[in-house]
Amino acid sequence: MTRLTLTHGDITRQHVDAIVNAANSSLLGGGGVDGAIHRAGGPEILAECRALRASRYGRGLPTGQAVATTAGQLPARWVIHTVGPVYQQDGSADPELLASCYRESLRVADELGARTVAFPAISTGVYRWPMDDAARIAVETVRAARTEAEEVRFVLLDERAYDRFAEQLRRA
């Protein structure tokens, strides 16, 4: 059974097999978690992302999908890039796409043989997914996933996010 844990901190400092990147579809870096991972990991990550864009993902990585690269200079073996959905306040946001980010990232982790995986709170930054709902989707999806991962760690940058994820773990 997979152990779910929480930590307050910087995902780029996690000593795990795989770090999940809340990427944008270009795979070429950006702001938030994506920018932090690219900066801390160094040019090796960007080089592999460019190669992926030149081969399989010419139009970018689709929302809800996941793909792995090296972790470069990060204290992990791999970075698993996934593109979360943008939240739409008109109700057209699809929670299944957010759940797919977690499932697909764990599927890729299993293919790699990763036993420890660190996730950020996907889509809760500039993509504006409400933290309570995002935490619920993340915890429920990871709990239900069939994965070989021994530990899934949610790495949360601020107290508010940590508290929301902790509440969801208590409920689950």
Side-chain angles (χ1 to χ4, degrees):
M1 178 155 178
T2 303
R3 186 176 77 234
L4 274 63
T5 61
L6 297 177
T7 191
H8 182 261
D10 181 346
I11 198 163
T12 67
R13 296 176 186 256
Q14 300 301 305
H15 292 265
V16 292
D17 294 329
I19 290 173
V20 177
N21 180 17
N24 65 53
S25 64
S26 77
L27 295 175
L28 303 178
V33 171
D34 193 18
I37 286 173
H38 275 270
R39 282 189 302 278
E44 300 89 350
I45 296 172
L46 182 57
E48 284 194 28
C49 285
R50 283 188 173 136
L52 286 166
R53 285 296 306 271
S55 61
R56 298 184 0 217
Y57 299 105
R59 294 178 156 216
L61 183 65
T63 302
Q65 298 299 304
V67 66
T69 65
T70 182
Q73 299 164 23
L74 296 170
R77 294 178 66 191
W78 303 284
V79 172
I80 299 171
H81 307 268
T82 190
V83 180
V86 175
Y87 185 75
Q88 303 296 326
Q89 291 185 326
D90 66 3
S92 64
D94 186 356
E96 177 52 34
L97 283 174
L98 183 54
S100 180
C101 291
Y102 290 95
R103 276 194 307 274
E104 286 297 304
S105 294
L106 289 172
R107 181 189 59 75
V108 170
D110 285 348
E111 288 175 359
L112 296 168
R115 295 297 175 251
T116 53
V117 181
F119 279 98
I122 298 169
S123 285
T124 61
V126 297
Y127 287 6
R128 300 179 315 275
W129 205 282
M131 189 62 71
D132 287 333
D133 195 41
R136 180 189 59 76
I137 291 166
V139 170
E140 288 177 0
T141 302
V142 171
R143 277 234 197 266
R146 293 179 183 210
T147 179
E148 297 298 315
E150 296 165 4
E151 179 190 3
V152 170
R153 184 180 309 164
F154 294 106
V155 182
L156 305 153
L157 196 55
D158 62 43
E159 289 297 324
R160 183 177 145 269
Y162 185 94
D163 291 346
R164 298 309 191 280
F165 272 75
E167 182 179 326
Q168 290 302 319
L169 280 177
R170 282 191 298 273
R171 289 181 181 179

